[in-house]
Amino acid sequence: MIRPQYELLDTGESLHDVHEDMSLSASRFAAFADMTASEIAALMGIVDRPRDYPANATIRNEGDAANQLYFLRAGWVISSIILSDGTRQVLKVHFPGDIMGAPSLPLAASAENLRTVTRATVCIVSKAAISQIFSTMPRLAMLFFLAAQEERLLLMDRLSSIGRQSGLSRLAGFLVHVHDRLRIAGISVDTSFELPLSQELIGDVIGLSTVHTNRVFKELTTRGLIERRGRTISFPDIDAVRKLSGLPERVIDRNAPWLPPPSP
Amino acid sequence: MIRPQYELLDTGESLHDVHEDMSLSASRFAAFADMTASEIAALMGIVDRPRDYPANATIRNEGDAANQLYFLRAGWVISSIILSDGTRQVLKVHFPGDIMGAPSLPLAASAENLRTVTRATVCIVSKAAISQIFSTMPRLAMLFFLAAQEERLLLMDRLSSIGRQSGLSRLAGFLVHVHDRLRIAGISVDTSFELPLSQELIGDVIGLSTVHTNRVFKELTTRGLIERRGRTISFPDIDAVRKLSGLPERVIDRNAPWLPPPSP
DNA sequence: CGTGCACTTGACAGCTGTCAATGCCGGTGG
DNA sequence: CCACCGGCATTGACAGCTGTCAAGTGCACG
């Protein structure tokens, strides 16, 4: 619970570089529909200059003014809540391309802590910019809406996992989930990936104590379901791990006919 | 897990009656901003004829075609997921005024089971109707978006509760939550309310077994934190229960200046 | 080479799940 | 009116998953 000191570092990169990376975000929306050039351009227009944060830095705390959103360009960031007894629950692990801070959109004070895990690059997105999108690009607004519903699905799945399954299944589900997201983001290509999260943090994600998280890690390893080399996790048989997680698969209905017509 | 037979009952009510009740929904959106007449009219336009379901009836199952949404006019409905080991997690308890089925909007197959608890009245809302709103009423679309973010907040809070707190705190949090929602909906006026949910179902909400849910109910009662008369729950000291839940309070930023301008 | 952090392990307690039995109550058929 | 029945609530006994406390190990870093 110690909050380290840090300085904001300006990357000195041009907006052009940001825009190149904005395709990351477009690819998240592109999960729902093929994006038009004007929609990609509109997304490019809402981010400001990128800022770098070191590892373990606070971007925004619970209770801080929630007057903006963030676009994560690079690095890993976690969203968490601290309960009144001081325990922490990690709500989401953010990957490059994610928009962060959206749940606090209806609130004046932020509901969540946003904290970097690794070095990270973040752009600010104003609330007014989102409004601008809603006013001018109905289909893109709908894609924002669909992304919010997808986030609900993720929370629903994690709620089911934590509420009704053993620690072993929870960890299995989390590891497979991270792997899948990294593949979608193009960061991982095979059935292995690097996991820069401490076991304490993973415990805060899946609702287990640090010690028990370690025990469950050991159990997964002993059973041959995962292999660990340093912070690299690999799956000898990912389908077995997926099955152990107990979670259903979700298939997105891309380019659904009921979507608003694309902007020119 | 037995699915009772039931028949759809046509209420024979006119659309006019539905529209009267649509103010329920408007009041949910009205939590974010004052609604204009045209926005309320637009909401009225998206529902079809109401249908009645008896208690314990299935509205839609996991895996069914997710080609529409539902508007709950009266009664209690639960949304749940069945995991591969057959256990159930209740994701949300829906109250009158709720839009149901939205998380499955990006999917072809429904992610959740929607099942009535009490007799309920439901109207169908087509996906295309939502698109129509997004295309013509930007501010109302933004209110839909804010409602989705609010649902994320609710899931985040329940995730924290289930992931990091004792059964006692979880039940306390759930009871206070239901009470608060019923007050907002105008169904409850004081610090008591009727809870038509079995303890088994409540256990599926807060991630406890039936037996332990009962033990925790007893403990809350013994401590004098709640009183039970039949299915009526009352709080002698609701603030004490709220505190026990460990959850933070959320304050909505109504009529935020960054919202799109209202439609005429 | 000392320090700090994360990981690991053992011992033990306790919260929670499971199994089983009982009681309560409203609905139903005789 | 009364016996029977099914669903739900309640309770006891016991097992086991998970948390807590404590100590040891390994490794990166100054």
Side-chain angles (χ1 to χ4, degrees):
Chain A
M1 309 249 179
I2 298 159
R3 191 178 315 160
Q5 303 303 310
Y6 65 90
E7 295 174 49
L8 289 184
L9 314 170
D10 192 294
T11 58
E13 295 175 78
S14 72
L15 275 176
H16 181 69
D17 298 319
V18 182
H19 293 168
E20 300 269 310
D21 281 302
M22 203 66 202
S23 61
L24 275 175
S25 176
S27 78
R28 280 217 59 184
F29 289 118
F32 305 114
D34 297 318
M35 310 273 296
T36 66
S38 67
E39 285 169 342
I40 292 172
L43 279 178
M44 286 177 179
I46 64 175
V47 299
D48 75 344
R49 281 254 300 279
R51 282 183 241 198
D52 266 15
Y53 292 85
N56 303 312
T58 298
I59 297 173
R60 185 166 80 182
N61 267 322
E62 234 171 314
D64 289 352
N67 43 19
Q68 56 194 14
L69 308 181
Y70 304 89
F71 170 71
L72 179 58
R73 239 186 105 196
W76 293 49
V77 172
I78 57 165
S79 154
S80 67
I81 285 183
I82 308 291
L83 295 168
S84 62
D85 59 359
T87 58
R88 177 176 71 167
Q89 174 69 46
V90 172
L91 303 165
K92 184 169 177 70
V93 179
H94 284 290
F95 299 112
D98 278 359
I99 287 178
M100 306 187 297
S104 302
L105 209 47
L107 309 177
S110 174
E112 50 183 347
N113 303 293
L114 290 172
R115 199 174 165 74
T116 63
V117 175
T118 65
R119 195 168 186 278
T121 309
V122 174
C123 302
I124 290 173
V125 177
S126 75
K127 289 183 172 185
I130 305 292
S131 269
Q132 187 64 22
I133 298 261
F134 271 64
S135 293
T136 59
M137 317 216 73
R139 198 181 80 136
L140 189 50
M142 179 59 83
L143 299 185
F144 271 84
F145 188 54
L146 292 183
Q149 301 301 349
E150 187 186 30
E151 293 298 335
R152 282 178 74 181
L153 288 172
L154 293 175
L155 285 166
M156 286 159 57
D157 285 344
R158 294 225 296 115
L159 193 65
S160 306
S161 185
I162 293 182
R164 305 265 75 156
Q165 305 216 263
S166 70
L168 200 71
S169 291
R170 290 187 226 174
L171 180 57
F174 175 67
L175 293 177
V176 168
H177 171 69
V178 171
H179 169 261
D180 289 347
R181 303 290 292 200
L182 290 176
R183 280 196 61 127
I184 291 170
I187 294 169
S188 158
V189 282
D190 53 11
T191 56
S192 73
F193 64 99
E194 201 182 328
L195 186 68
L197 311 177
S198 71
Q199 292 183 1
E200 179 180 11
L201 199 151
I202 294 170
D204 283 348
V205 175
I206 60 180
L208 295 179
S209 67
T210 307
V211 174
H212 199 66
T213 301
N214 183 274
R215 280 195 285 249
V216 171
F217 252 116
K218 186 184 174 187
E219 174 75 13
L220 276 183
T221 308
T222 304
R223 290 201 195 180
L225 287 165
I226 64 171
E227 287 166 5
R228 288 182 290 169
R229 280 201 328 276
R231 291 191 135 169
T232 298
I233 309 282
S234 56
F235 300 107
D237 179 3
I238 193 169
D239 289 331
V241 187
R242 214 181 284 280
K243 186 178 174 191
L244 176 61
S245 78
L247 294 172
E249 289 198 58
R250 317 244 100 113
V251 182
I252 290 176
D253 184 25
R254 249 179 72 85
N255 291 317
W258 54 270
L259 293 174
S263 305
Chain B
M1 310 251 179
I2 298 159
R3 190 179 315 158
Q5 302 304 311
Y6 64 89
E7 293 174 50
L8 289 184
L9 313 171
D10 192 296
T11 59
E13 294 177 80
S14 72
L15 275 175
H16 181 70
D17 296 319
V18 183
H19 294 168
E20 299 269 309
D21 280 303
M22 203 66 202
S23 62
L24 276 175
S25 177
S27 77
R28 281 219 57 184
F29 289 119
F32 305 114
D34 297 320
M35 310 274 295
T36 65
S38 67
E39 285 168 342
I40 292 173
L43 279 179
M44 287 177 179
I46 64 174
V47 298
D48 73 344
R49 281 254 301 279
R51 282 183 240 199
D52 265 16
Y53 291 85
N56 303 311
T58 299
I59 297 173
R60 186 166 79 182
N61 267 321
E62 237 171 312
D64 289 352
N67 42 21
Q68 56 194 14
L69 307 181
Y70 303 90
F71 170 71
L72 179 58
R73 239 186 107 196
W76 293 49
V77 172
I78 58 166
S79 153
S80 67
I81 286 183
I82 308 291
L83 295 168
S84 63
D85 60 358
T87 57
R88 177 177 71 168
Q89 174 69 47
V90 171
L91 302 165
K92 183 167 177 71
V93 179
H94 284 289
F95 300 112
D98 278 358
I99 287 178
M100 306 187 297
S104 302
L105 210 47
L107 309 178
S110 174
E112 51 183 347
N113 303 292
L114 290 173
R115 200 176 162 75
T116 63
V117 175
T118 66
R119 196 168 185 280
T121 308
V122 174
C123 301
I124 290 173
V125 177
S126 74
K127 290 183 171 185
I130 306 294
S131 268
Q132 187 64 21
I133 298 263
F134 271 65
S135 292
T136 58
M137 318 217 74
R139 198 181 82 135
L140 188 51
M142 177 60 83
L143 299 186
F144 272 84
F145 188 54
L146 292 183
Q149 301 301 348
E150 188 186 30
E151 293 299 333
R152 283 178 74 181
L153 288 172
L154 292 176
L155 284 166
M156 286 159 58
D157 285 345
R158 293 224 297 116
L159 192 65
S160 306
S161 185
I162 293 182
R164 304 265 78 154
Q165 305 215 264
S166 70
L168 201 70
S169 292
R170 289 187 226 172
L171 181 56
F174 174 66
L175 293 177
V176 169
H177 171 70
V178 171
H179 169 260
D180 288 348
R181 302 292 291 202
L182 290 176
R183 280 195 64 125
I184 291 170
I187 295 169
S188 158
V189 283
D190 52 12
T191 57
S192 73
F193 64 98
E194 200 182 326
L195 185 67
L197 310 177
S198 71
Q199 291 183 4
E200 179 180 9
L201 198 152
I202 294 171
D204 284 347
V205 175
I206 61 181
L208 295 179
S209 67
T210 306
V211 174
H212 200 65
T213 301
N214 183 273
R215 281 194 285 249
V216 171
F217 252 116
K218 186 183 175 187
E219 174 75 12
L220 276 182
T221 308
T222 304
R223 290 202 195 179
L225 288 165
I226 64 171
E227 289 167 3
R228 288 182 289 169
R229 278 203 328 277
R231 293 191 133 168
T232 299
I233 308 281
S234 58
F235 300 107
D237 179 2
I238 194 169
D239 288 331
V241 187
R242 216 180 284 281
K243 186 178 174 192
L244 175 61
S245 78
L247 294 172
E249 289 199 57
R250 318 244 100 113
V251 182
I252 290 177
D253 184 24
R254 249 179 72 86
N255 292 318
W258 55 269
L259 292 174
S263 304

